[in-house]
Amino acid sequence: MKNRKRRANDLLSSSNEMSFYPSRIQQHFDAPRNMGDLADADAIGDVGSLRCGAVMRLSIKIDAKTQTISDARFKTLGCGYLIACASVLTETVKDLPLSRAALLNEAALRDWFGGLPQEKAHCAVLAREALHAALADYHNARQEEWTGDEALICTCFGVSEKSIEGAIDKSALRTINQVTKACNAGGGCRSCHPLIEDILDDYWRNVSPKI
Amino acid sequence: MPDEIIYLDNNATTRVAPEVFEAMRPFLEGNLYGNPSSAHTFGRQVRRSVEEAREQVAAALGATDASEVVFTSCGSESDNWAIRGVLESAADKSHIITTRVEHEAVRILCERLEQRGHEVTWLAVDEEGLLDLEALRAALRPDTALCSVMLANNETGVLFPLAEIGRIVREHSRALFHVDGVQAVGKIPINVKELGVDLFSISGHKFHAPKGVGALYVRSGLKLSPFIIGGGQERGARAGTEAVPAIVALGRACRLAQEFEGHALIRRLRDQLEDTILETIPNARLNGTRDRERRLPNTSNISFEYVEGENILAGLDASGICVSTGSACNSERHEASAVLRAMNIPYTAARGSIRFSLSRYNTEREIAYTLSVLPGIINRLAEMSPYEEALGRRGEAGKS
């Protein structure tokens, strides 16, 4: 009888050791990194999933000089997987240049966990969407604040049309890649690539008669 | 973490009572392994025990005759057999009436029957989970074959007024009346005669018998097409060699339930748990009617608004407390339970719903311990929630 009791207890305790979530998820569920809000956030990304109904908010602080994310916090109404994705996301984007943050995708988060179950893959997508929403928020604010006379083309790096034209003129640039290398324009979210394309076209159309 | 698990998920399943285990033991390890259909001594011995169990089940249900009880493998089988059996026997009638808050065994089956051409009337519930009986009256038709309504809701514990429903069904139609009674047996007294039901499903593991055994009460005089065809067991009503140990256990569990005198304690512990949570946790709200006379005495379904139910579950689990949530995000789509949706519970509340369901084995100490850890878990999750304003936590924004 005693033996049987002990065996039952062993079974119970070994099942206790197994956490509710897989350990890499559980550690972030138990102790999420950077949970909360930033009182002086430069940008906020609020997103919700139509698929699962979870919501997440990412607040970021941006060092304008270095164009780098200096701090990040999250809040969420979502499952342990989303908490873990958000937690890892905030750790990943801290000290990351905006140009690289813009390129961060859900695969990077998935890989951090060594993959996510199919039904939880959308948690990583939602975390990435929160980041992109925060970056868009920052760019929109920049655009509104822009006081220069010329049009602002690359909002990620605050590069105006005039600066881009100047760079093209100076070094006879032909491609977007060359423009990015020369003046950073287009190195972030890439949403201005069609505009840079237009500027390149216009420039070379205007100069071609001289050749 | 406490040494022992605190099990507050008794609407999901229950532990096998020691008395029940002792009753079934000789049929597993002794000489009582005969086939009840055999004519020899071994068969006859076992046959007697099966019939004894049948009488125990009949007594617990208030059936007039033991022959009205047919053993099945589970509550879902009982539900499926009752509904399909009635439809098969009444080929001229194809209309079904049921509710939006039935257990899946009834709800999903009726959805499938609807897809295959049966007309189904889905009775709605209000925000308290209660039925509109006028709607039932209006839905009954000459071609209504069956009205299937549960006695006690598994998620909220809300009780439907079966006696009244049975009377309406009989007065306004020739439809048969099936009741999914799975969640009620052992928790409240049951009398199928007084309730006026034709078919009544029960499941052993919900009241301290093992999993894998159930029964269907079939009112005498009612001929139900068999669901499992084969040998003539159960007087031709259900083929398959009887699961003798489980059947004996079911009978013993029925007697145990009838003799149980501790209902008042379970009710008191549940009330204490529910009252304290609702009074002390600001974002807590009860799901299901506040009228405790119209709810099971062991069940509390409480939503913690703006926090995630799965995370509460995980938090309580880490403290050794087992509960369940009406919102598991384990599917492609995160869906609040059909029951809570039918009750129009706001999405942000349904998401944080937790069901506490007690049994005779819960103690005052366990409830006190649960009440001591729960606020901390909810508070931690509320801090994480982006709904600060709704949670009245605006002032805390900015703190890390």
Side-chain angles (χ1 to χ4, degrees), chain A residues 5 8-9 12-13 16, chain B residues 1-8 15 316-322 361-363 365-366 369-370:
Chain A
K5 207 167 185 181
N9 282 338
L12 267 184
S13 67
N16 280 346
Chain B
M1 186 186 299
D3 301 336
E4 283 162 34
I5 297 291
I6 296 176
Y7 188 73
L8 301 178
R15 70 171 275 194
L316 285 171
D317 188 52
S319 301
I321 301 166
C322 302
Y361 297 114
N362 291 121
T363 64
R365 226 182 102 242
E366 291 180 329
Y369 179 74
T370 304

Side-chain angles (χ1 to χ4, degrees), chain B residues 174-185:
Chain B
R174 292 184 303 126
L176 292 175
F177 184 28
H178 166 247
V179 171
D180 174 356
V182 165
Q183 210 52 252
V185 184

Side-chain angles (χ1 to χ4, degrees), chain B residues 19-171:
Chain B
E19 297 90 333
V20 170
F21 180 68
E22 286 309 320
M24 74 187 291
R25 185 205 283 270
F27 297 87
L28 292 165
E29 63 180 12
N31 266 337
L32 294 170
Y33 58 82
N35 186 327
S37 298
S38 301
H40 49 60
T41 313
F42 266 23
R44 291 200 307 276
Q45 278 175 342
V46 169
R47 159 67 47 206
R48 200 175 312 125
S49 301
V50 168
E51 293 316 316
E52 224 176 87
R54 201 183 306 280
E55 276 160 25
Q56 289 170 327
V57 175
L61 297 182
T64 6
D65 199 304
S67 65
E68 295 177 305
V69 173
V70 184
F71 294 113
T72 63
S73 67
C74 60
S76 294
E77 184 194 327
S78 299
D79 285 339
N80 272 259
W81 177 29
I83 293 169
R84 304 178 94 133
V86 166
L87 293 175
E88 201 173 307
S89 309
D92 55 324
K93 293 183 276 184
S94 80
H95 177 231
I96 305 164
I97 299 174
T98 188
T99 80
R100 293 200 184 279
V101 294
E102 295 300 307
H103 184 271
E104 285 89 336
V106 170
R107 189 161 42 82
I108 307 285
L109 172 62
C110 287
E111 282 171 11
R112 284 182 69 127
L113 290 167
E114 195 172 28
Q115 285 162 9
R116 290 176 188 186
H118 284 277
E119 212 179 315
V120 179
T121 300
W122 299 94
L123 299 176
V125 294
D126 62 15
E127 290 191 357
E128 288 191 284
L130 301 172
L131 279 178
D132 174 7
L133 297 185
E134 274 312 307
L136 166 66
R137 207 184 309 261
L140 286 161
R141 316 190 308 213
D143 68 331
T144 305
L146 178 76
C147 176
S148 180
V149 173
M150 71 203 319
L151 171 48
N153 189 277
N154 46 314
E155 291 187 37
T156 59
V158 169
L159 299 168
F160 285 153
L162 290 194
E164 220 175 327
I165 293 170
R167 194 172 42 76
I168 294 170
V169 171
R170 278 190 307 278
E171 276 174 17

Side-chain angles (χ1 to χ4, degrees), chain B residues 295-327:
Chain B
R295 254 194 302 137
L296 285 176
N298 82 315
T299 309
S300 273
N301 189 312
I302 297 175
S303 276
F304 299 91
E305 287 188 273
Y306 310 108
V307 300
E308 179 77 37
E310 186 178 313
N311 295 340
I312 303 172
L313 187 73
L316 285 171
D317 188 52
S319 301
I321 301 166
C322 302
V323 297
S324 67
T325 171
S327 106

